Amino acid sequence: MAGSFYKVTCPDCENEQVVFGKAATVVNCAVCGTVLARPTGGNAAFEGEVTETVEAR
């Protein structure tokens, strides 16, 4: 299973969190609980801004 990890900035609290690019569940911000990524059956749909690729595969 190949996938990349991305650093996503929360739109509400500006927290940066690493998220898997093919997330199978909803990913919430660890600080405020805002949704950062939603599963789409393939690559996740990011709600926050992707600031960098942490590990590309």
Side-chain angles (χ1 to χ4, degrees):
M1 178 171 85
S4 298
F5 290 90
Y6 301 97
K7 189 177 285 187
V8 179
T9 302
C10 178
D12 288 344
C13 69
E14 303 297 321
N15 177 48
E16 289 186 338
Q17 188 167 322
V18 177
V19 178
F20 186 56
K22 295 186 179 198
T25 61
V26 173
V27 178
N28 294 323
C29 176
V31 175
C32 68
T34 301
V35 175
L36 294 180
R38 298 181 189 278
T40 61
N43 290 333
F46 296 112
E47 302 292 328
E49 179 185 351
V50 177
T51 55
E52 71 176 287
T53 302
V54 177
E55 182 178 339
R57 294 188 166 206

